Amino acid sequence: MKENKRKIIAAVVGDPNTGKSTFFNAWTGMHQVTGNWPGVTVEKLLGQLTMPNGDSLTLVDLPGIYSLHAVSEDERVASEYARSAEPDLIINVIDAVNLERNLYLTLALAELGKPMVAVLSMTDILERQGFAVDMEMLSKRLGMPVVTADVQHRTKRVALERAIEEALATKQQLPHVVYPESLNQALKQAHREGEPEVLAVHRLEGILPGAETIITDVEKALGTTPDVLIADARYDKIAEITAGIVKQVGHARTELGRTLDKFALNRWLGIPIFLGMMYLLFWFTQVVGGCFIDFFDGLGDAIFVTGLGNVLTLCGAPEWLVTLLADGLGTGVQTVMTFIPPVFFIFLGLSVLEDSGYMARAAYVMDRFMRLLGLPGSAFVPMLVGFGCTVPAIMATRTLANRRDRLLTIFMAPFMSCGARLPVYALFGAAFFGAASGTMVFAIYMCGIVLAVLTGLLLKHTLFVGDPAPFVMELPLYHIPRITTVFKQAWERLQRFLFRAGKVLVVMVLLLSVCDKIMVNDPYAEKASAADAEPAKISVIELVGRTISPVFVPMGVERENWQGSVALIVGLFAKEQVVSSLNTLYAISNSETEEAEKEEPLTWASAKSQFSEGIVDAFATIPEAFAGLLDSLLDPLGVAMFKSEYDQALRLADQLADPSLSADRLVGLQAQIDDALDIEGLHSELTEATATKEALEKQVAQNEALRPQLEDAEASLDEVVKRLEKASELQGLAKKVTSGSVTDEAGRQAVVKAFADKVDAYYQEAMSEEVEADATLMKTLAGKFDNNKNRAFAYLLFVLLYVPCLAAMATVVREIGWGYSSILFGYLTVLGWCVATLYFQVTTGHSIIWVVVPCVILALVAGFFCALGRKLKVKLVV
């Protein structure tokens, strides 16, 4: 008969930064399962192993704690699980470098009466300092097996497995803490019949409720609280245990960490170093990670949208099923896939900083500044990440200590203008602001930062009243980041996003996609004169947009410009889709291409061809994206997209109009214009492009396979010729003024105006290519907004502030639940409308009522937050 094997559950417990996770990962390898604890967002990491004797061992890696008294959600989970009946064994990871401090938790765990094994980490670092722990003596005094954490070596792993078997098989004599006589009476009062005595200690410590009156009595009688007396007794026992345990075995080596901390924590250098590290993190996340976004987007489209749609259509599936599965679920999956790179890279970067030991120092450096907003220093990282993508910014708040800090940071993170909004800014910048586009974008970013600060100050005194988590942070030793550890942590967090936030996102995208495909009668269309004429049809989303368009009139979007309202709804998919939806709604499209696509019948061969092309195109985006990687190091936000050879020339046009310029100044101005137009550089490009084309023509005569390269060379030459013709035209106009050939002032100003108009037209054309929008779209857009910059800027303010994309909303819901999420989404939308309306009315509209109404609404919002804050009282650890 087969022998029954036991199923053992062991809790891995230890102080923060003791190497507990490294030990857990090294021991369990790939045999891990991730998830969340029921009801909370704290990570649950399990490791499945088989012991030499055949027993099944499940390891539960708990968040780091200093004691069983929880001050954060992470600590509450660890404390409750360690004290529960579920674990059969406690594996206590102890930092050998900080032995006395770590043993405080060891004694608290020993009082629980569960079998224990002590695992010493950082022993190699202790040896470099010239010391070693007498493990045999420590084991004897603790009454439990003591082994090292170096389980990668087989002998050490075998020793650990034997220690576990020994702890489970023998009755351990764990250390007993003798509490002072002055506490005996209080312990008796706190003890309840039939319970372990340790529960009375926990009540006096405040870990468990039910002894508040007793604690007050002790404080009145002794002038101190019971938890202080308990801590003193434990430290007395620790001193007894550690006496003579740590022995000097050699000379200490130079500690590099102390030298690094002289710079990293320096009063003057700490913040610049921190900002530099955050800049690199931001660049790594958004630019390096962004190199893979188009790949995942194209891959998702080829497989789940176009590919799946073609297969369903060829199989004869009804249109509604194609819409549901391909356009709905498929688009949802594709959207989730586009967030894989930024989410993975932000957590990869954070894991590197955490594992190296720098993250704790970063929090220390920024703590003073962030506390002005009621947040700890570590909240700065999610804020910075928000400039690239709101999704990883929201997920990065999990590194914060308590629930209040996470909520406040999540409420502020959407104000950091994410990269997805940049195409919208670029389109409006090219259509309305010309050479001042870069300044406009900077103003938008600053508006977001200012409103985030004001929101933080408002919430700090209303909805989330209270102090940030106490800044008690141990500065861990510096380490070279371990590749397996950082990749494993990043992958685990990415999985959580994909299978948790991703599920909510797919459902939301499905809903909007279906609404975009469902067609209804257009109540705004003119009635057809013919009796048999079909009524005009519009999608449900367009119907909603046109219905709510009057809401946006106070912020400068007139009812006739209902397309702007619809685009905001479509922007819920992703903010960059505002551009494509405006392009579609304003009926700007390449009809010839569309007709060609419609004429081509769908067959299995064409579907296979589309699929293959989609996959190839997706992979082709990676080297293209990496080509400009180094250039982006100095421009991670992509503001350089507003620069062109016409940008500086447009600025110089104003100077050209000055009639008081001297002859010398005119000559210098002409030289500046020539430099801005890059006349010499274009001539060089023309010579090089011509030579390349001629060389390829000779090669093609002998090898026809090179013809595609020749066609590319011809296209490049044509492009250079066009640019040179434009630049030469502008140079000629400028010379008419700078050479003095036009003598009368009226004629001079006419030439200057012609120069400025030409430069502006060419700038618009260059920007239309940069933002991938038809030049006609920008003209139509300008007309719809009455060529008014203030109307356009008000619209952009709303784009900045209203609810983030579906992916971000899904992530917020997963992190803080529907209650606070609804408050956040409502606040962002109301604030966006109020700010945009105030800006437009103050600058252009000048309607008193529409200045007063937003101010009243904002006051009511502040009052609502204040009343709700008094009612809810955000708890720190739930």
Side-chain angles (χ1 to χ4, degrees):
M1 186 176 68
K2 188 176 180 179
E3 183 181 354
N4 291 326
K5 300 299 182 181
R6 294 179 297 175
K7 293 183 178 180
I8 304 165
I9 299 177
V12 182
V13 192
D15 286 31
N17 302 310
T18 58
K20 179 173 56 63
S21 294
T22 302
F23 159 75
F24 178 86
N25 291 331
W27 192 15
T28 58
M30 300 304 295
H31 306 287
Q32 297 179 2
V33 180
T34 59
N36 278 357
W37 296 90
V40 294
T41 59
V42 178
E43 242 180 59
K44 184 178 188 179
L45 191 59
L46 305 178
Q48 305 288 346
L49 296 170
T50 301
M51 297 291 288
N53 62 4
D55 289 343
S56 171
L57 177 64
T58 300
L59 295 176
V60 183
D61 184 20
L62 297 178
I65 52 175
Y66 292 104
S67 70
L68 295 178
H69 192 286
V71 295
S72 71
E73 186 175 351
D74 289 18
E75 293 183 7
R76 178 178 68 86
V77 166
S79 175
E80 288 184 354
Y81 188 79
R83 291 184 284 112
S84 72
E86 185 168 344
D88 305 302
L89 170 76
I90 292 178
I91 299 176
N92 181 204
V93 180
I94 301 171
D95 180 1
V97 179
N98 299 287
L99 188 61
E100 291 189 8
R101 192 195 63 235
N102 279 230
L103 285 178
Y104 185 88
L105 176 62
T106 304
L107 293 184
L109 293 171
E111 291 180 340
L112 300 176
K114 297 178 183 291
M116 287 185 65
V117 172
V119 176
L120 285 185
S121 64
M122 313 292 184
T123 52
D124 55 335
I125 297 172
L126 187 66
E127 288 175 3
R128 287 203 298 268
Q129 295 176 349
F131 298 92
V133 175
D134 187 333
M135 296 176 59
E136 185 177 347
M137 185 181 296
L138 181 61
S139 175
K140 187 175 180 180
R141 291 180 180 178
L142 287 177
M144 65 182 75
V146 177
V147 295
T148 64
D150 190 13
V151 292
Q152 290 179 333
H153 292 85
R154 185 178 181 280
T155 54
K156 304 292 179 64
R157 185 170 65 254
V158 170
L160 174 60
E161 291 167 347
R162 288 176 179 171
I164 292 174
E165 292 175 357
E166 177 189 335
L168 292 169
T170 61
K171 178 68 175 177
Q172 293 181 328
Q173 298 296 321
L174 300 176
H176 177 69
V177 179
V178 179
Y179 294 111
E181 291 288 337
S182 54
L183 268 184
N184 285 344
Q185 185 60 32
L187 287 169
K188 290 179 181 178
Q189 293 176 346
H191 182 258
R192 296 175 185 175
E193 188 175 351
E195 288 184 343
E197 294 183 2
V198 68
L199 297 185
V201 177
H202 289 171
R203 290 192 181 94
L204 294 184
E205 283 186 284
I207 298 173
L208 295 176
E212 291 77 10
T213 304
I214 302 172
I215 293 172
T216 303
D217 293 341
V218 171
E219 188 173 3
K220 288 179 180 179
L222 303 178
T224 186
T225 53
D227 59 329
V228 173
L229 297 174
I230 292 171
D232 288 343
R234 286 177 180 162
Y235 277 116
D236 288 342
K237 185 65 176 179
I238 290 171
E240 178 184 327
I241 293 171
T242 57
I245 287 290
V246 180
K247 300 178 180 179
Q248 187 166 355
V249 295
H251 296 289
R253 305 176 194 175
T254 303
E255 181 58 56
L256 178 62
R258 295 177 183 175
T259 304
L260 293 176
D261 278 342
K262 288 181 181 179
F263 296 95
L265 303 179
N266 183 273
R267 181 178 181 182
W268 305 108
L269 296 177
I271 290 181
I273 291 174
F274 168 78
L275 294 177
M277 295 295 293
M278 292 302 102
Y279 185 90
L280 289 175
L281 174 65
F282 180 84
W283 175 80
F284 178 70
T285 301
Q286 305 309 325
V287 180
V288 180
C291 291
F292 298 93
I293 290 179
D294 288 341
F295 165 73
F296 280 98
D297 186 41
L299 198 66
D301 177 72
I303 298 174
F304 298 105
V305 183
T306 303
L308 179 60
N310 287 343
V311 170
L312 290 172
T313 301
L314 291 168
C315 290
E319 185 177 350
W320 65 266
L321 185 61
V322 176
T323 298
L324 183 68
L325 296 181
D327 297 330
L329 288 176
T331 301
V333 174
Q334 178 193 14
T335 304
V336 172
M337 289 177 66
T338 61
F339 285 95
I340 290 176
V343 171
F344 178 77
F345 274 80
I346 179 56
F347 282 127
L348 184 63
L350 289 175
S351 296
V352 169
L353 293 179
E354 290 169 359
D355 202 47
S356 67
Y358 180 75
M359 186 59 77
R361 289 159 176 84
Y364 174 82
V365 167
M366 289 303 297
D367 186 68
R368 180 178 297 180
F369 170 75
M370 294 302 294
R371 281 184 181 273
L372 296 176
L373 302 177
L375 289 169
S378 50
F380 187 85
V381 175
M383 298 288 190
L384 183 76
V385 173
F387 282 110
C389 181
T390 308
V391 172
I394 299 299
M395 299 194 70
T397 60
R398 290 192 170 196
T399 60
L400 303 182
N402 65 44
R403 181 170 171 78
R404 175 197 168 276
D405 295 347
R406 284 196 293 273
L407 285 169
L408 184 51
T409 306
I410 287 173
F411 267 68
M412 294 172 64
F415 290 95
M416 307 299 113
S417 191
C418 70
R421 295 180 174 98
L422 195 58
V424 187
Y425 303 157
L427 173 64
F428 277 77
F432 293 93
F433 296 91
S437 297
T439 305
M440 177 273 293
V441 174
F442 178 76
I444 286 286
Y445 277 98
M446 289 306 300
C447 287
I449 293 171
V450 170
L451 289 170
V453 171
L454 294 177
T455 295
L457 294 174
L458 170 66
L459 296 177
K460 173 186 175 182
H461 295 97
T462 55
L463 186 58
F464 304 131
V465 177
D467 296 323
F471 189 72
V472 179
M473 179 167 286
E474 175 188 349
L475 297 182
L477 297 170
Y478 285 102
H479 294 287
I480 296 176
R482 287 149 288 219
I483 295 177
T484 54
T485 299
V486 297
F487 271 92
K488 192 173 293 184
Q489 289 178 350
W491 172 243
E492 289 164 0
R493 294 167 177 176
L494 175 63
Q495 281 183 305
R496 186 170 63 246
F497 165 74
L498 292 177
F499 297 111
R500 295 185 180 276
K503 288 188 295 185
V504 180
L505 172 60
V506 169
V507 172
M508 296 170 80
V509 172
L510 172 62
L511 179 62
L512 275 183
S513 296
V514 171
C515 290
D516 190 40
K517 296 296 181 181
I518 296 177
M519 307 303 291
V520 296
N521 292 336
D522 183 2
Y524 300 98
E526 295 182 4
K527 293 184 178 180
S529 57
D532 59 344
E534 287 286 335
K537 299 284 187 178
I538 57 175
S539 69
V540 172
I541 283 185
E542 184 175 334
L543 176 63
V544 172
R546 298 187 68 168
T547 302
I548 67 172
S549 59
V551 174
F552 300 104
V553 171
M555 55 179 263
V557 184
E558 299 296 339
R559 293 193 182 192
E560 295 76 16
N561 188 17
W562 55 266
Q563 295 93 336
S565 305
V566 176
L568 293 173
I569 298 177
V570 177
L572 293 174
F573 286 100
K575 289 295 182 284
E576 63 267 29
Q577 290 197 13
V578 170
V579 175
S580 60
S581 61
L582 285 174
N583 189 63
T584 301
L585 293 168
Y586 288 143
I588 307 299
S589 61
N590 189 329
S591 58
E592 294 181 359
T593 302
E594 289 181 357
E595 289 174 6
E597 290 177 352
K598 291 178 181 177
E599 289 173 3
E600 183 180 350
L602 181 64
T603 63
W604 284 107
S606 63
K608 181 180 179 181
S609 176
Q610 288 183 33
F611 178 79
S612 300
E613 289 176 3
I615 299 296
V616 171
D617 290 344
F619 277 96
T621 61
I622 298 177
E624 292 175 4
F626 271 94
L629 191 61
L630 292 179
D631 293 337
S632 65
L633 185 60
L634 298 178
D635 183 36
L637 291 175
V639 178
M641 73 162 57
F642 302 104
K643 303 294 182 184
S644 75
E645 62 264 40
Y646 307 110
D647 177 65
Q648 184 63 20
L650 195 57
R651 299 179 188 278
L652 293 170
D654 293 334
Q655 299 182 35
L656 200 64
D658 186 357
S660 64
L661 290 175
S662 64
D664 291 341
R665 183 69 187 91
L666 285 171
V667 173
L669 191 59
Q670 181 65 54
Q672 286 181 273
I673 291 173
D674 290 348
D675 289 342
L677 297 173
D678 194 21
I679 300 294
E680 291 185 8
L682 287 172
H683 278 292
S684 298
E685 284 186 45
L686 179 62
T687 302
E688 184 179 344
T690 302
T692 302
K693 173 179 171 289
E694 292 174 350
L696 282 170
E697 283 177 337
K698 295 178 181 178
Q699 294 176 27
V700 167
Q702 300 175 353
N703 184 1
E704 188 64 25
L706 294 175
R707 182 162 294 280
Q709 296 184 28
L710 174 60
E711 293 174 354
D712 291 341
E714 290 173 342
S716 299
L717 177 60
D718 290 342
E719 179 64 25
V720 174
V721 170
K722 290 178 182 177
R723 290 170 57 201
L724 183 57
E725 288 175 351
K726 293 175 182 177
S728 299
E729 179 188 14
L730 294 172
Q731 183 188 42
L733 286 171
K735 280 185 176 179
K736 287 183 179 181
V737 177
T738 58
S739 65
S741 59
V742 181
T743 55
D744 63 296
E745 185 57 29
R748 184 177 183 278
Q749 292 299 329
V751 174
V752 171
K753 185 177 186 305
F755 174 81
D757 289 344
K758 282 287 185 182
V759 173
D760 186 58
Y762 292 150
Y763 180 84
Q764 294 261 357
E765 188 178 328
M767 285 299 99
S768 70
E769 296 175 0
E770 185 66 42
V771 301
E772 299 179 354
D774 193 288
T776 312
L777 167 62
M778 293 194 290
K779 292 179 182 177
T780 307
L781 182 65
K784 287 288 186 176
F785 283 84
D786 296 336
N787 291 296
N788 189 307
K789 293 182 179 179
N790 292 326
R791 288 183 187 272
F793 194 77
Y795 188 83
L796 293 180
L797 284 173
F798 189 79
V799 170
L800 165 72
L801 298 173
Y802 86 115
V803 288
C805 64
L806 291 180
M809 287 194 284
T811 307
V812 171
V813 171
R814 285 298 311 172
E815 294 297 311
I816 63 177
W818 277 107
Y820 280 112
S821 296
S822 301
I823 295 172
L824 173 59
F825 301 153
Y827 170 66
L828 289 172
T829 304
V830 170
L831 180 67
W833 183 87
C834 290
V835 170
T837 299
L838 281 173
Y839 175 84
F840 174 72
Q841 294 300 332
V842 169
T843 58
T844 302
H846 307 305
S847 170
I848 298 298
I849 187 171
W850 287 119
V851 171
V852 173
V853 169
C855 293
V856 172
I857 292 176
L858 290 175
L860 291 174
V861 169
F864 170 75
F865 281 159
C866 189
L868 195 63
R870 286 196 297 267
K871 180 180 179 180
L872 293 181
K873 294 291 182 184
V874 177
K875 298 179 181 180
L876 294 181
V877 296
V878 296

